[in-house]
Amino acid sequence: MSAILSADDLNDFITPGVACIKPVETLPPLPPTSNAYEVTTEDAIQSANLPAAQISLTDCLACSGCVTSAEAVLVSLQSHAEVVNTLNAYHSIKPEDFLLRSGSVLPPEDGGKIFVASVSPQTRAGLAAAYGVSETVAGNMIAQMLSGSQGIRRGTTHGSDFLWVVDTNVAREACLVLGAEEVLRSMKGGGGGVGAGAGGKEQGTTGTDGAAGPQQPVLTSACPGWICYAEKTHPHVLRHLSRLKSPQALLGTLLKTTLSRALGVSPDQIWHLAIMPCFDKKLEASREELTDVYWSGGGGGGVDDTTTDQAAEDNKSVGIRDVDCVITTKELLLLADSTGIDFSTLPRTPVVCVTGRRTPFPDPVLDRFLFPSARRRLAGNADPAGGTSGGYLYHILETFTARNPGSQILTNRGRNSDIVEHQVVRDGRVLLKTARYYGFRNIQNLVRKLKPPKTSRMPVSSRKKTVGGTVSGGGGGGGNSSSTEYAYIEVMACPGGCTNGGGQIKIEEVASIPSTSTTTTTTTPHSKPTPADQRKWLSQVDEAYFSSSSSPSSSPSSSPSSSSFSGSNSDVEAAESIIGGISHPSIHAILHHWSELTNIPLDKLVYTSYRAVESDVGKDKGGMMAVEGLAGKIGGGW
């Protein structure tokens, strides 16, 4: 367990509903006695020194004895120590090792690994605020630490470091495009797959209720704390969840599938580290649905039924995670400290290889996508209205208004700053209603409104009927609530958004970090920050998050063009499809190229599934056996 993980540090922690039952399950059996009816006193019984119960990540995910939004406080894997141990155990595979002139690839018996890292913009923003630099400079410092000559290679046994450091924003752009089209399809009552929004022929995804696509209102699925909460406590909302993978999961799938197929290596020779603002991302990375079993033929992407479960069960191979390890912003600094690096002294310029050129990604098209020559304007980061959680809602609004000329967006604040309602209106008519719900206090109110009404036991003749002919009455009120009028709701567990994630640097911790900016904190290491201090600090992190759009490398000319990725022959057509700085045709061209390159259906690559988890507390041993079987798999389910 990471030394900095504790419930007190997490502002998105929910007190467990029941005590953790894992220690009880692991108690050793009592030795048999010769006389079952022997009577003795307590002082005659020797106290047994029981071993400490070890709670692993798999145990936590397989057990439903407690409900938290940050179950990472219970896990012992995926920490900065795990990163150091892996780097010390394996040498990093370099291009000359697997890209030979003859065209052959790395032999599978080689003991090295290809180390790849992905970094979230919220992590860069948190470090930028702490060290008084821009978000771009913070990204350069992270890259220097992970793959530069003055980075972690100097503190590892084999000199191992990361071959590529990727910005998760590139995967987020694909998620924004697919998410907007998923919502538009749900408004039309359709459930086509990825290609349905762009003339494709892919099959639609099937949700947990057997219907194609999510039902309205579509709820964000990028926040693992929210997903864990929904699966364990409110399974009735699963039919509303977006089927899309998060940027972390999508990028992990892209890296593992492309590298393993292009280089002819096993996915377990590719080690993917994700640096995120949230502890819950560790839980997301350990989901069984996000392993190679589901894209290599063992399971079905975006399908959550008995057929998929049986197919995965028949595949006896242990699933290899698309994201092998997740560490938070705090743990990144611990990683630097454990490898003898002073993060503040790292070069603040991009990494320059010895050869003067960056190691190219095996596929040229995906290389230009993952490592654009100029940082593009990113939807959601360019306008504070998009928020700090990826801009999903904002891009949906932009896409809808672009397809409905003459419409405008109206914003209404809710009962607190974490509830916001948006309407798209034209000529006085409401065309679209969306909302944002951040923080579990607001989420709990939301899920109550979405709860389906209870079935009344009264005769049908004695109940009133609604205008649509649906029988009313019987309590509940899910179908009659205003929440069902929304087409989309952006749901995030942390108040204030992802820049306020549990793994981010807090204001009281800034003063204890060596060589950080003295202008970013108003408290001393021994003083407790006031709510005003915390809000000021979070505003500084948010300012750093939005500063990426105003960097010198971000300019209108750096927006994506059809000549870069799109398969379209018309530059004008592609330019008209650029929404929020993202070319929708270009994204679709990249996704279909990825599918063709790996020979994997696109739905398996970009969609995932969810499952309801029932509590096993107090149930018979038959239920416990099912839990033990689930815990035997890597990752397990929530």
Side-chain angles (χ1 to χ4, degrees):
M1 181 181 294
S2 173
I4 61 174
L5 277 176
S6 68
D8 298 333
D9 294 336
L10 306 180
N11 62 356
D12 59 346
F13 182 80
I14 295 182
T15 304
V18 294
C20 179
I21 62 174
K22 200 62 189 175
V24 179
E25 297 175 19
T26 57
L27 290 178
L30 296 176
T33 57
S34 57
N35 186 356
Y37 300 98
E38 181 181 358
V39 179
T40 184
T41 58
E42 292 184 1
D43 55 358
I45 302 177
Q46 297 182 354
S47 59
N49 295 323
L50 301 179
Q54 297 293 326
I55 303 176
S56 67
L57 182 60
T58 300
D59 296 331
C60 179
L61 294 176
C63 167
S64 57
C66 64
V67 177
T68 70
S69 72
E71 288 183 299
V73 297
L74 302 176
V75 306
S76 59
L77 299 178
Q78 299 196 52
S79 66
H80 69 286
E82 179 69 16
V83 179
V84 175
N85 293 337
T86 304
L87 290 172
N88 287 333
Y90 302 93
H91 70 268
S92 57
I93 302 175
K94 299 300 181 182
E96 56 269 19
D97 296 328
F98 57 82
L99 292 179
L100 305 180
R101 291 183 179 181
S102 61
S104 60
V105 295
L106 180 73
E109 62 269 12
D110 189 282
K113 288 184 181 292
I114 303 172
F115 292 101
V116 189
S118 57
V119 186
S120 69
Q122 292 84 4
T123 292
R124 295 193 298 270
L127 292 173
Y131 286 91
V133 297
S134 67
E135 185 263 358
T136 302
V137 171
N140 292 338
M141 296 170 68
I142 296 174
Q144 289 282 0
M145 172 183 165
L146 298 178
S147 59
S149 59
Q150 302 180 36
I152 57 177
R153 70 174 66 168
R154 302 172 63 179
T156 57
T157 303
H158 302 286
S160 301
D161 62 357
F162 290 83
L163 184 58
W164 291 293
V165 179
V166 187
D167 184 357
T168 59
N169 270 327
V170 295
R172 183 174 64 88
E173 289 183 353
C175 293
L176 294 178
V177 173
L178 297 176
E181 294 176 352
E182 183 182 47
V183 173
L184 295 179
R185 289 196 302 270
S186 69
M187 295 177 63
K188 297 178 181 179
V194 177
K201 297 181 180 180
E202 278 75 8
Q203 289 284 30
T205 57
T206 304
T208 53
D209 57 349
Q215 298 181 9
Q216 287 193 334
V218 180
L219 306 178
T220 315
S221 60
C223 175
W226 149 241
I227 295 300
C228 179
Y229 175 72
E231 287 183 321
K232 284 192 171 184
T233 63
H234 299 286
H236 63 273
V237 306
L238 298 185
R239 64 179 182 270
H240 298 288
L241 292 178
S242 169
R243 309 297 186 236
L244 286 175
K245 293 181 179 179
S246 70
Q248 170 186 295
L250 184 65
L251 188 56
T253 304
L254 187 150
L255 293 172
K256 286 291 182 83
T257 55
T258 305
L259 291 175
S260 62
R261 300 295 171 91
L263 301 178
V265 299
S266 172
D268 62 356
Q269 284 191 274
I270 305 164
W271 203 80
H272 178 203
L273 169 70
I275 306 174
M276 294 289 152
C278 176
F279 287 106
D280 294 338
K281 284 295 183 179
K282 299 171 185 280
L283 302 178
E284 176 187 300
S286 299
R287 290 183 68 99
E288 183 187 4
E289 295 86 354
L290 301 179
T291 63
D292 69 326
V293 173
Y294 280 76
W295 52 258
S296 62
V303 182
D304 186 18
D305 52 21
T306 55
T307 303
T308 299
D309 294 338
Q310 186 62 43
E313 189 70 30
D314 293 340
N315 192 326
K316 299 302 181 181
S317 61
V318 178
I320 300 171
R321 296 172 180 170
D322 293 340
V323 180
D324 296 276
C325 184
V326 177
I327 62 174
T328 63
T329 309
K330 297 178 184 179
E331 291 173 305
L332 179 67
L333 297 181
L334 290 179
L335 175 62
D337 184 67
S338 62
T339 52
I341 298 174
D342 184 353
F343 190 85
S344 64
T345 62
L346 288 170
R348 304 188 177 189
T349 56
V351 176
V352 178
C353 300
V354 178
T355 59
R357 295 184 57 188
R358 174 183 53 82
T359 302
F361 202 70
D363 181 74
V365 174
L366 294 180
D367 181 79
R368 293 194 299 269
F369 173 65
L370 295 173
F371 308 98
S373 57
R375 297 194 62 185
R376 303 188 296 269
R377 172 178 176 263
L378 300 172
N381 288 63
D383 192 334
T388 60
S389 301
Y392 296 91
L393 173 60
Y394 187 72
H395 192 75
I396 291 172
L397 293 172
E398 284 189 315
T399 303
F400 192 84
T401 53
R403 299 188 180 187
N404 293 271
S407 59
Q408 59 179 337
I409 302 174
L410 301 181
T411 302
N412 299 318
R413 298 292 175 181
R415 65 181 65 180
N416 55 61
S417 60
D418 285 321
I419 299 180
V420 183
E421 181 185 278
H422 300 278
Q423 295 182 354
V424 178
V425 299
R426 183 174 61 186
D427 300 330
R429 187 166 64 94
V430 177
L431 304 180
L432 176 72
K433 290 185 67 175
T434 62
R436 174 192 300 168
Y437 278 74
Y438 286 179
F440 274 100
R441 181 177 301 177
N442 297 322
I443 291 176
Q444 289 172 344
N445 294 329
L446 172 65
V447 294
R448 290 193 197 102
K449 297 177 182 179
L450 293 175
K451 190 173 183 180
K454 297 180 180 179
T455 303
S456 176
R457 298 182 179 180
M458 298 180 63
V460 177
S461 58
S462 63
R463 284 181 281 164
K464 297 180 181 180
K465 292 186 177 182
T466 62
V467 177
T470 303
V471 178
S472 64
N480 300 326
S481 67
S482 59
S483 297
T484 57
E485 299 176 2
Y486 298 129
Y488 182 82
I489 303 177
E490 185 177 282
V491 184
M492 298 291 168
C494 295
C498 293
T499 51
N500 191 34
Q504 291 284 79
I505 300 172
K506 305 304 179 184
I507 181 174
E508 60 269 22
E509 300 166 336
V510 176
S512 61
I513 298 176
S515 303
T516 53
S517 173
T518 57
T519 61
T520 57
T521 177
T522 58
T523 62
T524 64
H526 303 288
S527 64
K528 184 176 181 180
T530 64
D533 293 334
Q534 294 174 343
R535 288 192 297 268
K536 182 179 179 181
W537 166 249
L538 184 58
S539 66
Q540 292 176 339
V541 179
D542 293 346
E543 182 180 356
Y545 177 83
F546 296 120
S547 69
S548 61
S549 61
S550 58
S551 60
S553 58
S554 295
S555 61
S557 61
S558 65
S559 297
S561 62
S562 60
S563 60
S564 299
F565 312 113
S566 177
S568 174
N569 295 324
S570 174
D571 290 351
V572 176
E573 178 182 355
E576 292 177 349
S577 300
I578 295 178
I579 301 174
I582 301 176
S583 172
H584 284 220
S586 296
I587 294 297
H588 281 289
I590 294 167
L591 293 175
H592 288 287
H593 173 80
W594 174 25
S595 176
E596 293 174 358
L597 177 68
T598 58
N599 196 28
I600 301 174
L602 194 52
D603 283 0
K604 282 191 174 185
L605 296 174
V606 302
Y607 290 116
T608 185
S609 57
Y610 316 99
R611 66 183 68 183
V613 178
E614 297 181 0
S615 175
D616 301 291
V617 179
K619 293 188 177 181
D620 56 14
K621 285 294 183 181
M624 293 307 302
M625 292 177 62
V627 173
E628 293 174 1
L630 184 60
K633 302 178 181 179
I634 183 169
W638 286 344

